[in-house]
């Protein structure tokens, strides 16, 4: 039978979508090292471009609730399996640029509400379809196509990293949303005093040793937004790294910062900020964020 399992090494309950089970597990197994559950927005066949761009405020409440319970456990609360849509993700949405904006917003919101870690589902298309007992997940015919399209064709729709041994491996759009969120890791969130934020705009700010990073996400499909910030250090230098693509449906081209070498296999991408006008003498700053894009803003400090 082997050695007994050390209860101190247990984690769980890895619930598919039931928050109550996680709370019961926390009370019943106080020595568990972490709490866990899964999250997907919906089944792939019920997803859409418009849907993935909508923030899930209800799940924010679940994360906050479970994160409070997670404080009693050594490694807190984790989403041990998550992504946009279950059943392999939605072709044309989960593998398009819209997924980068969703992943950026979802990851930062989860962290803000107290989640300790997120594990995103992914892998080759054939592996996911096999696990779904042969359910077809779509995908385009990439015969004769360029390498980015071939990688997309063999990759599960929701995978942040694409490819297989025949194509090589490369980042997919979702990867860069997660990477942008990762740049705020280890920093302390600021609570911003906001007034009349436009619909579809999400703003996060976090302070670290090298300054303050502000992320603005504009999920509007048609409207560019100008956001005004105040209470900043006058004349402070400002650097911006846009996260953008030709369209929200784009799956073959993406730019983060000033570098568009993002989706090719073995891409030598590096984060390069744009220098923009400094904070005004009055401590104000206006930043324009195009429709269907995001911006990472780096400031040396946030208040006078």
């Amino acid at each position: 039978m082997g050695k007994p399992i050390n209860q101190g090494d247990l984690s769980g309950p890895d619930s598919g979508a039931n928050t109550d089970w996680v709370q019961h597990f926390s009370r019943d197994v106080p020595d568990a090292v972490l709490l866990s559950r899964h999250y997907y927005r919906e089944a792939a066949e019920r997803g859409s471009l418009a849907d993935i761009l909508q923030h899930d405020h209800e799940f924010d409440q679940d994360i906050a609730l479970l994160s409070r319970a997670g404080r009693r456990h050594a490694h807190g609360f984790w989403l041990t399996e998550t992504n946009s849509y279950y059943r392999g993700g939605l072709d044309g949405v989960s593998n398009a640029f819209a997924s980068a904006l969703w992943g950026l917003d979802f990851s930062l919101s989860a962290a803000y509400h107290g989640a300790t870690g997120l594990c995103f589902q992914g892998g080759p298309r054939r592996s996911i379809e096999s696990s779904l007992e042969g359910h077809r997940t779509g995908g385009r015919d990439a015969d004769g196509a360029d390498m980015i399209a071939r990688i997309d064709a063999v990759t599960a729709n929701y995978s942040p990293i694409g490819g297989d041994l025949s194509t090589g491996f490369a980042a997919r759009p979702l990867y860069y949303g997660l990477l942008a969120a990762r740049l705020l890791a280890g920093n302390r969130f600021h609570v911003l005093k906001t007034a009349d934020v436009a619909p579809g705009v999400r703003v996060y700010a976090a302070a670290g040793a090298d300054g303050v990073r502000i992320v603005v996400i504009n999920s509007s499909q048609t409207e560019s937004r100008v956001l005004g910030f105040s209470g900043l250090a006058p004349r402070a230098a400002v650097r911006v790294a846009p996260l953008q693509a030709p369209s929200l449906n784009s799956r073959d081209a993406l730019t983060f910062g000033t570098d568009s070498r993002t989706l090719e296999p073995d891409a030598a991408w590096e984060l390069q900020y744009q220098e923009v006008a400094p904070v005004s003498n009055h401590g104000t700053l206006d930043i324009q964020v195009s429709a269907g894009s995001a911006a990472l803003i780096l400031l040396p400090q946030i208040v006078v």
Side-chain angles (χ1 to χ4, degrees):
M1 296 293 292
K3 295 181 179 179
I5 295 174
N6 180 355
Q7 191 176 21
D9 292 333
L10 288 176
S11 64
D14 234 25
S15 163
N18 192 308
T19 294
D20 290 344
W21 289 5
V22 185
Q23 293 176 291
H24 287 308
F25 183 87
S26 177
R27 291 192 294 267
D28 295 343
V29 191
D31 293 332
V33 295
L34 65 85
L35 301 182
S36 62
R37 66 157 282 184
H38 298 181
Y39 171 83
Y40 292 89
R41 294 182 61 87
E42 249 297 359
E45 54 268 28
R46 291 192 287 272
S48 67
L49 182 67
D51 177 73
I52 200 174
L53 296 173
Q54 297 296 315
H55 185 82
D56 189 347
H57 294 279
E58 184 176 342
F59 191 60
D60 287 344
Q61 299 174 21
D62 283 351
I63 293 180
L65 186 68
L66 295 178
S67 296
R68 286 194 293 271
R71 294 171 190 164
R72 299 192 291 267
H73 304 272
H75 297 288
F77 167 67
W78 282 62
L79 289 171
T80 47
E81 181 182 322
T82 190
N83 217 305
S84 53
Y85 299 105
Y86 64 89
R87 293 175 65 81
L90 179 59
D91 191 29
V93 175
S94 299
N95 50 4
F97 178 66
S99 71
L101 299 185
W102 168 79
L104 174 57
D105 180 35
F106 178 75
S107 298
L108 290 180
S109 184
Y112 179 80
H113 287 93
T116 307
L118 308 175
C119 300
F120 281 80
Q121 178 81 327
R125 186 181 301 277
R126 64 177 180 273
S127 297
I128 297 299
E129 290 182 345
S130 176
S131 72
L132 296 172
E133 299 181 342
H135 168 72
R136 300 290 295 174
T137 60
R140 53 182 165 177
D141 182 359
D143 289 344
D146 64 24
M147 184 55 70
I148 294 177
R150 288 170 56 196
I151 287 174
D152 181 59
V154 302
T155 301
N157 297 325
Y158 53 26
S159 185
I161 298 175
D164 60 17
L165 293 177
S166 68
T167 62
F169 298 90
R172 302 300 300 137
L174 173 59
Y175 175 89
Y176 285 96
L178 305 184
L179 176 62
R182 176 66 178 80
L183 293 173
L184 275 66
N187 293 355
R188 178 173 53 84
F189 278 108
H190 275 281
V191 178
L192 297 176
K193 296 180 180 179
T194 58
D196 300 325
V197 174
V201 174
R202 302 281 296 173
V203 184
Y204 301 90
D210 61 345
V212 172
R213 288 176 173 83
I214 300 174
V215 169
V216 180
I217 304 163
N218 179 12
S219 60
S220 170
Q221 299 186 52
T222 58
E223 299 293 330
S224 178
R225 306 295 191 192
V226 176
L227 274 77
F229 298 90
S230 61
L232 307 178
R235 307 306 301 170
V238 181
R239 295 191 291 163
V240 177
L243 178 63
Q244 56 194 0
S247 73
L248 287 164
N249 300 106
S250 176
R251 57 174 91 177
D252 298 334
L254 180 154
T255 300
F256 184 22
T258 62
D259 196 338
S260 60
R261 299 171 299 171
T262 52
L263 303 179
E264 295 280 357
D266 303 317
W269 176 88
E270 60 180 315
L271 180 59
Q272 299 171 353
Y273 289 91
Q274 299 174 356
E275 298 286 345
V276 298
V279 175
S280 75
N281 290 330
H282 303 290
T284 60
L285 173 68
D286 289 339
I287 293 289
Q288 181 169 334
V289 183
S290 301
S293 74
L296 171 64
I297 306 163
L298 181 61
L299 296 163
Q301 60 187 96
I302 196 166
V303 293
V304 181

